[in-house]
Amino acid sequence: MITKTITPGRAINIVVSHLTERMRIDIFLASYFTCYSRSFFKNCIKDSLVQKNDTTVTKDSIMIQPYDRITITFPKERNRENIQQEAQLLEPDIEKIGKKITIVYTHDDFFIINKPARLTVHAPSVKSMLFTLSDWLTLTFKELTTVGSPDRPGIVHRLDKDTTGLMIIPRNNSAHEEFSRMFKNRCITKIYTAVVMGKPKERDDITLPIARHPMNRNQMTHLIPTGRPAHTAYRVLQYLVDAALLEIQLFTGRTHQIRVHCAAIEHPVFGDPIYGHKSKIIARQALHASKINFEWKSQRYTFEAPLPQDMLDLIKQLTPPDEQL
């Protein structure tokens, strides 16, 4: 087990111990190099940086066993100057990105932020030059550079690129470790607001498992029985025209969980281009992380973020005429 970061560009050779149980290679690497996340090694595999017994690994599900020889070349760090240049192609001024991010609350141990739409939380690949929330955080708050995993500094949980709302940003590694534990143990209450298509029943609990789609690696699916357990609960706040405004609570944190579960019950999130349909009324999925609640050092914290304007406009347009003011 290695508990420190590795010099970028360095190749590390590992001979799997005879005591190691058979397991997936991405899980093995994440347990061997504890400073790096499992998704970091998934990306390394995607970028052909991992070999097993002198053969390049192409799937993160490849199994390792005792005496296998693993070679991993740690990717060079993303070039900060190039990342900023890329951001300036998308935005005339990086500061404009910051103006869209609201710092809701500042604590010695954490920030609470309100993330805007069209902003990716962390780099999807070790080669990506996309400017992300993590990049903005580390440029704005230098202390966050060494907080958490090197591939996603300052990040302890995520929202989809086009999902808006509240996020916790740990300010030190002790807080990062504790919030990671709290998320894992479901000690943090996360409430979302969404507009979905159709007329769902007034409330429901959805417990369909979620797995990576076997044909499209960028999508998830509820159709594989061996997927990871997932639990979503919702209640209808308001019925709209061929749509409904929902309050949703997550009890697990699977990728795309709300979007997959809503689509599974045939009420996809309004404007979702992957699990539903694009909309001419809203340019993204109508999903917002509206409330978060947790206890920190014996004090209870609750934060709420109002709906963004595009969702307010959508709700107004979909409100039945007899309910409009």
Side-chain angles (χ1 to χ4, degrees):
M1 180 183 296
I2 296 178
T3 58
K4 61 182 180 179
T5 58
I6 306 300
T7 303
R10 181 182 174 188
I12 300 291
N13 296 302
I14 306 165
V15 176
V16 180
S17 167
H18 68 284
L19 298 176
T20 301
E21 295 181 0
R22 191 170 181 269
M23 69 177 74
R24 287 170 54 118
I25 192 167
D26 57 338
I27 295 175
F28 169 77
L29 289 170
S31 64
Y32 193 90
F33 299 95
T34 59
C35 282
Y36 298 86
S37 66
R38 183 175 168 186
S39 62
F40 173 83
F41 291 111
K42 286 177 180 288
N43 285 327
C44 288
I45 291 167
K46 183 179 178 181
D47 293 331
S48 302
L49 298 175
V50 180
Q51 292 185 323
K52 186 183 87 162
N53 299 328
D54 300 321
T55 299
T56 299
V57 175
T58 58
K59 295 182 178 180
D60 49 42
S61 59
I62 292 292
M63 306 299 286
I64 61 98
Q65 54 192 359
Y67 305 109
D68 277 343
R69 300 187 313 280
I70 309 296
T71 300
I72 174 168
T73 301
F74 280 77
K76 294 182 179 180
E77 294 176 337
R78 298 166 72 227
N79 187 299
R80 184 67 63 189
E81 180 179 348
N82 288 344
I83 293 168
Q84 292 186 36
Q85 289 175 355
E86 180 71 15
Q88 288 167 348
L89 292 175
L90 302 174
E91 296 279 355
D93 190 340
I94 292 177
E95 290 184 3
K96 287 191 176 182
I97 297 176
K99 289 179 181 178
K100 297 177 182 178
I101 302 169
T102 303
I103 306 295
V104 176
Y105 181 77
T106 299
H107 186 281
D108 288 344
D109 294 324
F110 60 86
F111 295 114
I112 302 295
I113 71 163
N114 188 358
K115 186 188 89 67
R118 290 173 284 282
L119 180 60
T120 301
V121 170
H122 58 77
S125 166
V126 293
K127 293 181 179 179
S128 172
M129 290 296 109
L130 181 69
F131 190 82
T132 68
L133 172 64
S134 181
D135 294 319
W136 180 84
L137 287 168
T138 54
L139 284 169
T140 307
F141 306 102
K142 302 299 183 184
E143 69 205 69
L144 299 180
T145 305
T146 57
V147 174
S149 177
D151 59 317
R152 56 183 71 180
I155 303 300
V156 72
H157 68 124
R158 64 183 293 274
L159 296 176
D160 295 336
K161 177 182 178 181
D162 283 329
T163 297
T164 56
L166 296 171
M167 292 185 64
I168 302 170
I169 307 297
R171 298 183 66 181
N172 53 64
N173 278 305
S174 176
H176 187 280
E177 183 176 340
E178 180 61 15
F179 277 117
S180 296
R181 183 196 65 78
M182 291 165 67
F183 275 110
K184 182 178 180 180
N185 294 333
R186 304 176 189 176
C187 299
I188 297 175
T189 300
K190 296 173 288 182
I191 304 294
Y192 291 74
T193 305
V195 178
V196 301
M197 301 184 71
K199 189 175 181 180
K201 56 185 178 181
E202 290 186 357
R203 58 179 66 234
D204 199 3
D205 277 81
I206 310 167
T207 56
L208 298 167
I210 293 178
R212 184 72 59 180
H213 195 288
M215 303 301 293
N216 189 335
R217 303 302 291 171
N218 293 320
Q219 293 186 27
M220 309 301 288
T221 179
H222 69 285
L223 297 175
I224 298 178
T226 55
R228 300 178 71 188
H231 181 190
T232 305
Y234 77 81
R235 69 184 181 95
V236 174
L237 297 176
Q238 181 184 359
Y239 284 112
L240 306 167
V241 177
D242 296 324
L245 179 66
L246 305 186
E247 179 183 85
I248 301 171
Q249 183 171 355
L250 287 185
F251 294 94
T252 51
R254 309 303 176 216
T255 300
H256 298 177
Q257 179 173 321
I258 291 175
R259 299 163 65 190
V260 171
H261 272 174
C262 286
I265 62 170
E266 300 183 352
H267 298 289
V269 176
F270 208 98
D272 188 339
I274 297 178
Y275 302 102
H277 307 282
K278 288 184 178 180
S279 169
K280 294 181 180 179
I281 308 176
I282 189 169
R284 64 178 182 96
Q285 66 262 13
L287 182 60
H288 177 68
S290 52
K291 185 175 181 179
I292 197 162
N293 181 293
F294 58 89
E295 184 176 298
W296 185 260
K297 295 183 176 178
S298 301
Q299 182 173 342
R300 175 63 58 177
Y301 291 90
T302 299
F303 301 98
E304 296 188 49
L307 290 178
Q309 191 61 47
D310 61 350
M311 285 186 64
L312 291 174
D313 292 341
L314 174 66
I315 294 166
K316 182 178 181 180
Q317 187 158 339
L318 295 176
T319 299
D322 60 343
E323 294 184 18
Q324 294 183 8
L325 297 176

